[in-house]
Amino acid sequence: GNSVTQMEGPVTLSEEAFLTINCTYTATGYPSLFWYVQYPGEGLQLLLKATKADDKGSNKGFEATYRKETTSFHLEKGSVQVSDSAVYFCALSDSGGYNKLIFGAGTRLAVHP
Amino acid sequence: DAGVTQSPTHLIKTRGQHVTLRCSPISGHKSVSWYQQVLGQGPQFIFQYYEKEERGRGNFPDRFSARQFPNYSSELNVNALLLGDSALYLCASSSGHQDRETQYFGPGTRLLVL
């Protein structure tokens, strides 16, 4: 079945460092891909999305490109801030008849001053 | 505009009890989905409803049930609670008009089963 695999955390960075969180997926069709962020004690917030191959999603300095040839959707940010500390989830939208999201296990990011 | 709202925010129950969780979608959205997020894991799909009909169901036992009302709000019911049902329960809404569309999440209900 369809699945999402994320790099294990925690990822610990200093402020202004470059961030990459790897995400790969397995899907039989043509899913949409998403990054959601979860701050402590809160629900999920949509960070960015891409709906077809080679699309680049971007928001708040974060970027991710839908790579069909490598089945990847890696999250990047050029300069992280302490306020970016959260858990990041990669997800795909399964197109099998209804709009179900399949999530990775999440990657915790801790940014220190 | 208000986002997805959920109630209650926190709940403590004992094994064997029943619980009802509530969700109101974003205005204009007709589809509601429920997810269970166990501590340290990604959310797992439980149900999706659209126009009051069940559109999809995840791999959860029959103790889990849900329904959607004419105003598109939804309830998730869990019977005969087990310790393993302790989790954050997330509701998400979407318009329901497009395949693979974005889902918007509420803040969740944190359930603790003792």
Side-chain angles (χ1 to χ4, degrees):
Chain A
N2 296 349
S3 65
V4 175
T5 302
Q6 289 181 236
M7 65 186 286
E8 287 190 24
V11 173
T12 304
L13 296 173
S14 298
E15 206 165 25
E16 299 183 2
F18 183 85
L19 169 71
T20 299
I21 300 178
N22 290 337
C23 170
T24 57
Y25 67 91
T26 300
T28 53
Y30 300 93
S32 291
L33 300 174
F34 305 85
W35 278 100
Y36 284 87
V37 58
Q38 187 173 37
Y39 297 100
E42 298 185 7
L44 301 179
Q45 296 179 23
L46 177 67
L47 183 58
L48 54 83
K49 70 175 184 179
T51 59
K52 61 183 187 296
D54 300 325
D55 267 3
K56 177 184 283 188
S58 61
N59 185 29
K60 300 180 182 179
F62 291 90
E63 293 183 340
T65 301
Y66 189 145
R67 301 286 189 198
K68 190 164 171 42
E69 64 275 13
T70 55
T71 62
S72 65
F73 193 55
H74 304 321
L75 182 68
E76 296 182 338
K77 187 176 185 183
S79 176
V80 294
Q81 305 300 312
V82 172
S83 57
D84 294 327
S85 298
V87 180
Y88 292 81
F89 291 94
C90 183
L92 68 83
S93 182
D94 191 336
S95 59
Y98 57 96
N99 194 26
K100 177 180 76 173
L101 283 170
I102 297 171
F103 287 88
T107 303
R108 182 175 299 278
L109 170 66
V111 181
H112 299 288
Chain B
D1 284 343
V4 178
T5 59
Q6 293 186 242
S7 64
T9 55
H10 294 82
L11 206 49
I12 299 175
K13 293 286 189 178
T14 57
R15 281 177 295 174
Q17 285 189 313
H18 162 91
V19 69
T20 297
L21 311 180
R22 296 178 175 82
C23 171
S24 292
I26 292 170
S27 178
H29 283 188
K30 298 183 178 181
S31 180
V32 169
S33 299
W34 288 95
Y35 293 82
Q36 180 196 64
Q37 186 181 16
V38 173
L39 192 64
Q41 298 182 19
Q44 297 291 317
F45 173 76
I46 310 175
F47 286 109
Q48 186 176 97
Y49 276 77
Y50 173 70
E51 291 277 17
K52 297 174 289 180
E53 297 291 326
E54 182 183 302
R55 196 183 241 182
R57 182 186 183 112
N59 188 24
F60 280 81
D62 291 344
R63 300 185 295 108
F64 288 76
S65 63
R67 55 179 175 168
Q68 187 177 32
F69 298 99
N71 66 355
Y72 304 111
S73 67
S74 177
E75 284 183 354
L76 175 69
N77 295 284
V78 187
N79 291 324
L81 285 167
L82 303 174
L83 296 180
D85 295 330
S86 295
L88 179 67
Y89 288 85
L90 295 163
C91 173
S93 80
S94 60
S95 71
H97 300 320
Q98 294 182 357
D99 193 21
R100 303 172 297 142
E101 63 182 356
T102 300
Q103 295 185 34
Y104 298 90
F105 284 81
T109 294
R110 194 166 297 278
L111 172 65
L112 177 61
V113 182
L114 301 177

